[in-house]
Amino acid sequence: MKFSEHWLREWVNPDLSTAELAEQLTMAGLEVDGIELAAPAFSGIVIGEVMQVDVHPQADRLRLCKVDVGESEWLDIVCGASNVAPGIRVPTAKIGAILPSGLTIKKAKLRGVLSHGMLCSSSELGLFDKTDGLMLLPQDAPKGMDIRPYLNLDDQIIDVDFTPNRGDCLSVIGI
């Protein structure tokens, strides 16, 4: 069974490192098979709100977006996602952001129009293998906030294996 370390620590939070916690779980009869990051490494991704969407003058499938990331000026971003629309909140990679693939976001001209960032899908953030369109966030997501703490992505996933006589451990509260 896999579970979030953060979730377990909401129930009980011993003053132990992740490795020490895994050792204690093993000593309690729950074999820890592995510990992995909840999300791959990336940086510079914040919550942005799409304020305006216009047609790209030289491409049918591209849109010119004005995105509010909580700064004094909106970012001009060219986007090809089918679900881009005014009013949505999405992960936004600003200039200098590094995606899980290692790509560093820079100013780029797309069909003659300068783009100052990138609107992201969950697959571009390495959260899912394949997705359609942008990753939509709740309307109350705070503009400009780093996406990692907002989604608790700096968490670890603990994978435990237990014997059939440990049915009490089939939930986080049981563990």
Side-chain angles (χ1 to χ4, degrees):
M1 178 173 100
K2 292 184 177 187
F3 60 90
S4 158
E5 179 183 354
H6 177 77
W7 192 14
L8 179 64
R9 289 185 184 274
E10 286 180 10
W11 288 92
V12 59
N13 192 7
D15 190 22
L16 301 172
S17 69
T18 302
E20 292 168 331
L21 179 62
E23 177 65 24
Q24 280 205 352
L25 288 171
T26 299
M27 297 311 292
L30 303 173
E31 181 183 348
V32 175
D33 288 339
I35 300 171
E36 58 189 45
L37 295 174
F42 61 80
S43 63
I45 314 293
V46 298
I47 298 169
E49 180 177 3
V50 178
M51 304 305 288
Q52 182 179 335
V53 178
D54 295 314
V55 176
H56 192 291
Q58 298 175 3
D60 293 337
R61 294 187 179 162
L62 295 178
R63 301 287 178 257
L64 305 178
C65 304
K66 300 269 188 196
V67 182
D68 182 0
V69 292
E71 296 176 355
S72 59
E73 293 186 22
W74 293 348
L75 300 179
D76 293 320
I77 297 177
V78 177
C79 179
S82 60
N83 64 336
V84 67
I88 63 171
R89 296 201 181 188
V90 296
T92 306
K94 299 185 336 181
I95 301 298
I98 301 172
L99 298 179
S101 64
L103 175 69
T104 300
I105 301 299
K106 300 175 182 158
K107 289 182 189 176
K109 271 194 175 183
L110 298 168
R111 297 275 179 113
V113 177
L114 196 59
S115 182
H116 295 88
M118 176 178 158
L119 303 180
C120 301
S121 70
S122 54
S123 62
E124 289 164 332
L125 298 179
L127 303 178
F128 294 102
D129 290 336
K130 190 173 184 180
T131 54
D132 292 328
L134 300 172
M135 179 179 181
L136 302 178
L137 300 170
Q139 283 304 114
D140 63 349
K143 291 184 277 190
M145 181 178 184
D146 190 297
I147 197 78
R148 291 193 76 86
Y150 179 75
L151 295 176
N152 289 319
L153 296 178
D154 292 324
D155 195 4
Q156 309 239 30
I157 303 300
I158 301 172
D159 186 5
V160 296
D161 194 17
F162 44 88
T163 56
N165 66 332
R166 293 303 308 260
D168 58 321
C169 295
L170 289 173
S171 67
V172 171
I173 194 168
I175 291 175

